[in-house]
Amino acid sequence: MMHTRAWRWAALALAAWGLAGCAPVGPVAPGTGGAALFVDAAFAAPVQPIDPARVFALSSAMHDYLEREIAEQVRAHGLQRGLIDALYSKQQLALAYDAEFTRNAAEAFDARAGNCLSLAIMTGAFAKALGLAVRYRAVQVDDSWGRDGDLGLYVGHVNVSIGRQVPAVRTIDNSPDWWTIDFLPPADIKNQRTEPINEARIVAMYMNNRAAEALARRRTDDAYWWVRAAIQADPGFADAYNTLGVTYWRRGLPAPAEEALHAALRRRPEHPQAMGNLVVVLRQLGRPAEADGLEARLARLHKTTPFAAFQRGLQAYNAGDFAQARDQFARAVAGSNDFHEFHYWLAMSYLQLGDTERAARHLHEAEANSATRQQQSAYAAKLARLKAGAGDGPPPH
C-alpha cells in the first residue's frame, strides 16, 4: 500500500511553470480568448482524436461490471452504498491511487487505479449510469507543489459526491442527501474550503492534465491539441490558458504565448503560474521593464514558496555548494512535506555531506510520498543501493 501522505499528490489541473486555488471564475469579455488564441498551423495534427465524450464513456467491461457486481451490491446495500462498496471495497474492485498519468473513466477501470481526478471521473460515470445525481468539488488544500521534467506544477484536488435520500456516511457538507468520496485522508480536508465545479470543468481539468503531462514529456504537438480541447470544454478555466501559453513558448511562439497568458490573468488576475510564465515571455520579447514590474508584483504576492526554495537548492547543488543546497531543500520540505522529489534532493545533499543516516531517512520519505508505482519502486531501489554503499542518479519521473 502507498503511504497515506502520498494521497495528497493527486495530480489535476496542473499549472505548468514552463521554465523552471480554486477561485471562482468571473465574467469574460467577448473576444478575449477561445478560437482567437489558437494557432493550429504551428502544430502537427493529433495522433489520436480528442473526444470529450470519451472522458466519461463506459466501456463494455464497465457495462458488464455494472450489470453483475454493482447490481448485486446495490440490491444488498442500496444505490450509493452499493456503488461505493463495488468500487472501493477490498473484496470487490479495490481501486488504488496512482498518479502515473490522468486516465479517463474506462482507462481507470481497466487499470484499477488512477489519480483523484481519474477516480472521480470513473465514479461519476458509474453513478450517472445508475441514475444517481453527481456533483464535484475542488478542495483548497494547502499549497502543493510538484515537478515533472523541467515543469513546475501546482497540484490541486477534487472529490465527488453522489446522492440522494439515504443516510450519510463521511459527508463533508453535513447533508443527509449526499455521500462524498474523497481520496485525501479526512484530517487533510477538515476545515478546508471547497468550490462546486461542473462537469465541463472536470472535462477541462482532465484535458489540461493530459496537456501538462505531454509537455513534461516534450510532446508539444500533443499538448497543444489537449489544451485546445480543454479551453473549448470550459472557456473560463484559467489554468488551461496558462498551459496554452507554456505550449506556445515551447514551440518558439512568444507572441501567442503572451496572449494566452494574458487570457489566463483576465480570468484569474493573481494566477501565480501565469504571472511567472509571463515574466519569462516578456523578457524574451525584449520588454524588461514590464517583466521587472510583474516579477515584483509576483514577489509581493508570493514572498516564499517551496518550489522557489527547491530551485535555489538545485542551483546550489549543481554549483557544488551542498551545505546551501541542504538548507534550501530543507526549506522546501518544511513548506511541502509531501513532495517526494524535495526529500530526494535533500537526501542527496546529505549524502554529499557524508550524513548517510539522514540521507537514508529522506530517501525513505521520498519512497513513501511517491505519486506513482514506478516512482515508489525506483526510490526503494535507490534506498537499497544507498544502504549497500552504492552511488545514485537523478530521481525518477
Side-chain angles (χ1 to χ4, degrees), residues 334-377:
S336 187
N337 188 50
D338 291 341
F339 184 45
H340 62 97
E341 200 169 342
F342 292 171
H343 284 285
Y344 171 81
W345 284 104
L346 181 55
M348 292 301 96
S349 299
Y350 276 126
L351 188 61
Q352 292 288 350
L353 294 168
D355 191 338
T356 55
E357 182 179 347
R358 286 189 174 89
R361 184 187 310 163
H362 284 282
L363 263 181
H364 176 74
E365 289 295 318
E367 177 192 355
N369 288 287
S370 55
T372 70
R373 294 164 180 169
Q374 181 183 9
Q375 289 171 349
Q376 192 174 31
S377 297

Side-chain angles (χ1 to χ4, degrees), residues 211-257:
E213 290 159 2
L215 278 175
R217 288 153 183 79
R218 302 287 174 175
R219 299 201 302 266
T220 308
D221 291 310
D222 290 344
Y224 173 76
W225 297 107
W226 278 114
V227 73
R228 187 186 194 280
I231 291 170
Q232 290 178 322
D234 184 356
F237 186 35
D239 286 354
Y241 293 91
N242 176 62
T243 305
L244 180 64
V246 175
T247 304
Y248 283 142
W249 182 86
R250 280 278 182 88
R251 185 42 55 94
L253 300 170

Side-chain angles (χ1 to χ4, degrees), residues 42-224:
F43 299 89
V47 175
Q48 59 182 16
I50 297 174
D51 181 4
R54 295 183 62 186
V55 177
F56 285 92
L58 270 66
S59 64
S60 58
M62 292 174 74
H63 280 292
D64 290 343
Y65 192 77
L66 182 67
E67 292 171 4
R68 293 182 292 103
E69 302 295 335
I70 294 179
E72 181 179 343
Q73 294 298 318
V74 165
R75 284 193 296 271
H77 304 292
L79 283 169
Q80 283 101 322
R81 177 64 181 273
L83 175 59
I84 292 169
D85 284 354
L87 296 182
Y88 297 103
S89 167
K90 290 182 180 179
Q91 287 73 39
Q92 299 294 321
L93 198 61
L95 291 167
Y97 178 88
D98 180 28
E100 189 77 28
F101 70 97
T102 305
R103 299 175 171 94
N104 62 27
E107 290 166 339
F109 181 81
D110 288 344
R112 304 296 194 265
N115 60 26
C116 75
L117 181 59
S118 297
L119 296 178
I121 287 170
M122 192 208 65
T123 303
F126 274 123
K128 289 194 298 181
L130 287 171
L132 289 165
V134 182
R135 68 185 184 191
Y136 305 92
R137 291 189 177 189
V139 181
Q140 293 190 355
V141 295
D142 295 336
D143 282 349
S144 297
W145 300 86
R147 201 169 74 115
D148 200 341
D150 67 348
L151 293 180
L153 306 173
Y154 172 77
V155 184
H157 179 68
V158 295
N159 63 34
V160 58
S161 298
I162 55 177
R164 14 178 108 244
Q165 304 306 328
V166 294
V169 292
R170 286 197 63 200
T171 54
I172 290 174
D173 59 2
N174 297 319
S175 165
D177 298 336
W178 295 88
W179 287 22
T180 297
I181 301 112
D182 202 292
F183 310 105
L184 286 177
D188 283 7
I189 57 176
K190 185 179 180 181
N191 299 323
Q192 297 289 359
R193 287 195 301 147
T194 62
E195 175 199 354
I197 53 178
N198 59 23
E199 189 171 291
R201 176 61 55 89
I202 290 289
V203 171
M205 285 178 166
Y206 165 80
M207 292 178 168
N208 189 56
N209 269 24
R210 294 300 300 267
E213 290 159 2
L215 278 175
R217 288 153 183 79
R218 302 287 174 175
R219 299 201 302 266
T220 308
D221 291 310
D222 290 344
Y224 173 76

Side-chain angles (χ1 to χ4, degrees), residues 13-26:
L14 301 182
W17 280 91
L19 287 179
C22 302
V25 177

